[in-house]
Amino acid sequence: MVGYQIVHRNLYRMRISIPRLAEDAEYADKLQRLLETLELVSNFRINLKAKSLAVEFSYEATVTALATMENKVLAAIQQAHHLDIEDALLCPTAVKSPEIDYWERLGPSAISLGLSFGALIGLPFPGFLMTGAVLFAAVPVFQRAMAGIQTDKQLNIDFLDALAVSLHAYNNNFFAPSFMLGLIEGGEVIRDLTARGSERASLDLLDCLGKYARVERDGKEVEILVKEIVEGDRVIVYPGDQIPIDGYIVRGTGLIDQCKLTGESVPVTRRSGEEVFASTLLVDGQLCILTERTGSNTRAGIIVTLMQSAPVHDTRVENYAAMIANQAVVPTLLTGIGVGLASGDLSRAIALLTLDLGTGIRVSVPTTILSALTYAARNGVFIRSGRAIEILAKIDTVVFDKTGTLTQGHAGVTGIKVTESQVAPAEILALAATAEQGLTHPV
């Protein structure tokens, strides 16, 4: 365990004394690399001779985010003791989604659009090449249309798009379907990118808990990987450590910061027999905890699972738009056939097929909802689904169960009122600041 003492702290700055900095340069290097991964840390200084770490946080951060970052700084002090340099560089601050293959998603439509534009300005591209490029770029649309027929037993918007692309290619009109495919696939990629951003912002409750934990085995304290902890293990937690499991205290008393899990800014005292939870931080004391739940079964893990499975696209406006759009497929198809037969002009029939009522909403609504979820998560608010955001429009009263949800948890001067007119408020503030110098008490 690495010993430390918080010497000074205010809302956007904290200074910590860490004796180990003066005697272990490798530890200081690992700590520096860990601190560099924290997003809201705007600046930090490690002074080896003074055995001191000074951290400054971004002024744009919310109070909840600041409290979370303080916990991560204290956790990094302990984690640097265990991690290799490579591990420090790779310590995750978010759950990473699989990377989007931009070439696979956008490459075919981009090539098709480029060839179509070239043909439009007179370049002599052969017709079979143009047709092949357009149809190849439309493969994802064909797949979604076939899935709608096989799974939902109905003709959907993608069926109209696939039919319009095929008829355009048959009519040797290549630019319009290429441009349409670019818009459709580009919209899908934008939606996926926003979804990945939402995951990065919201799924950090179990991040950087540390790779190792101390447990009692056969009467001895041993260090094991966190993932190797099993139900019934007795986990030993020291000040500055994040609790890696849910369980009950069997020995010790500790001051625990639960802000990351509950939003409560004031640490709570927990004693023998009381329950504690993963992702919370032990500020003071030493605990021996009997493991009840680990990993995704902990309370923090359940929250992460819920956020991962959140039905983002389950919104009333999107469902309504999709329903109306799908109901309009057959009438649009019949109208297009009628216009084509009456006019004898295939281009007019195709023009009606491209009247897609659902694609715009299908892309814009999820993107908007995901952006809202991302912004809320960055400010410490986890919203279950897109439908919940829509319901917020009908809310006229919000009930909070505790004051800690609303207060900042940091004392500060909000105003100065004088009783003697000959004494200026600035003078009183200067006297108070002089008296406060050298004191570490938060008030």
Side-chain angles (χ1 to χ4, degrees), residues 206-328:
L206 295 179
D207 293 343
C208 287
L209 283 178
K211 294 177 61 176
Y212 300 94
R214 289 172 286 272
V215 300
E216 286 186 352
R217 296 276 176 88
D218 300 325
K220 296 181 180 180
E221 183 178 317
V222 296
E223 190 173 68
I224 64 172
L225 294 172
V226 170
K227 64 182 180 181
E228 294 178 355
I229 300 176
V230 297
E231 183 178 339
D233 275 341
R234 295 194 172 198
V235 179
I236 308 299
V237 183
Y238 293 99
D241 289 347
Q242 282 187 305
I243 298 175
I245 45 87
D246 286 358
Y248 290 88
I249 300 174
V250 295
R251 187 173 67 249
T253 300
L255 187 66
I256 299 176
D257 188 342
Q258 301 184 127
C259 174
K260 194 173 184 180
L261 191 63
T262 67
E264 180 64 64
S265 59
V266 179
V268 296
T269 301
R270 292 289 181 262
R271 299 178 177 84
S272 179
E274 295 186 305
E275 191 174 12
V276 292
F277 304 102
S279 84
T280 58
L281 179 74
L282 181 62
V283 178
D284 191 22
Q286 179 179 334
L287 301 177
C288 177
I289 306 169
L290 179 63
T291 302
E292 291 284 328
R293 296 176 295 275
T294 63
S296 60
N297 294 322
T298 63
R299 180 173 295 187
I302 291 173
I303 293 175
V304 169
T305 302
L306 287 174
M307 294 303 297
Q308 286 176 327
S309 61
V312 175
H313 305 292
D314 182 23
T315 60
R316 184 176 180 274
V317 63
E318 183 181 6
N319 293 340
Y320 183 75
M323 181 186 67
I324 295 299
N326 288 333
Q327 288 177 351

Side-chain angles (χ1 to χ4, degrees), residues 32-81:
Q32 175 181 339
R33 295 181 183 276
L34 280 174
L35 292 175
E36 289 173 350
T37 67
L38 303 183
E39 293 181 354
L40 296 180
V41 173
S42 60
N43 188 28
F44 67 88
R45 295 183 302 278
I46 297 177
N47 190 323
L48 300 182
K49 294 182 178 180
K51 300 173 290 187
S52 174
L53 166 65
V55 181
E56 296 178 6
F57 301 104
S58 171
Y59 285 93
E60 298 177 358
T62 63
V63 173
T64 302
L66 288 171
T68 301
M69 292 310 301
E70 286 186 6
N71 292 344
K72 288 190 175 183
V73 169
L74 298 179
I77 294 174
Q78 302 299 329
Q79 292 164 11
H81 171 61

Side-chain angles (χ1 to χ4, degrees), residues 415-430:
I416 301 172
K417 295 183 179 180
V418 298
T419 57
E420 300 293 337
S421 59
Q422 63 269 25
V423 181
E427 184 179 354
I428 294 177
L429 183 61

Side-chain angles (χ1 to χ4, degrees), residues 76-247:
I77 294 174
Q78 302 299 329
Q79 292 164 11
H81 171 61
H82 302 292
L83 299 182
D84 295 328
I85 293 296
E86 292 77 11
D87 293 327
L89 286 169
L90 297 175
C91 179
T93 57
V95 176
K96 293 185 178 179
S97 300
E99 292 296 326
I100 296 175
D101 189 337
Y102 294 100
W103 171 250
E104 179 183 351
R105 298 288 297 275
L106 298 176
S109 58
I111 293 175
S112 172
L113 186 60
L115 292 175
S116 301
F117 182 77
L120 190 66
I121 62 176
L123 296 180
F125 294 129
F128 72 88
L129 175 63
M130 301 299 305
T131 302
V134 171
L135 294 180
F136 180 70
V139 167
V141 179
F142 291 136
Q143 291 174 338
R144 290 194 294 267
M146 185 60 67
I149 295 173
Q150 294 177 343
T151 305
D152 301 329
K153 308 300 181 184
Q154 68 173 0
L155 302 179
N156 56 19
I157 290 298
D158 290 303
F159 175 81
L160 279 185
D161 292 337
L163 183 59
V165 168
S166 301
L167 291 177
H168 270 302
Y170 173 78
N171 207 31
N172 292 325
N173 182 7
F174 303 111
F175 182 77
S178 299
F179 187 73
M180 183 174 68
L181 289 170
L183 290 178
I184 293 173
E185 296 307 315
E188 294 291 335
V189 169
I190 290 174
R191 187 166 67 171
D192 291 344
L193 282 172
T194 312
R196 293 178 69 247
S198 179
E199 286 185 5
R200 287 195 297 269
S202 63
L203 306 181
D204 71 332
L205 282 173
L206 295 179
D207 293 343
C208 287
L209 283 178
K211 294 177 61 176
Y212 300 94
R214 289 172 286 272
V215 300
E216 286 186 352
R217 296 276 176 88
D218 300 325
K220 296 181 180 180
E221 183 178 317
V222 296
E223 190 173 68
I224 64 172
L225 294 172
V226 170
K227 64 182 180 181
E228 294 178 355
I229 300 176
V230 297
E231 183 178 339
D233 275 341
R234 295 194 172 198
V235 179
I236 308 299
V237 183
Y238 293 99
D241 289 347
Q242 282 187 305
I243 298 175
I245 45 87
D246 286 358

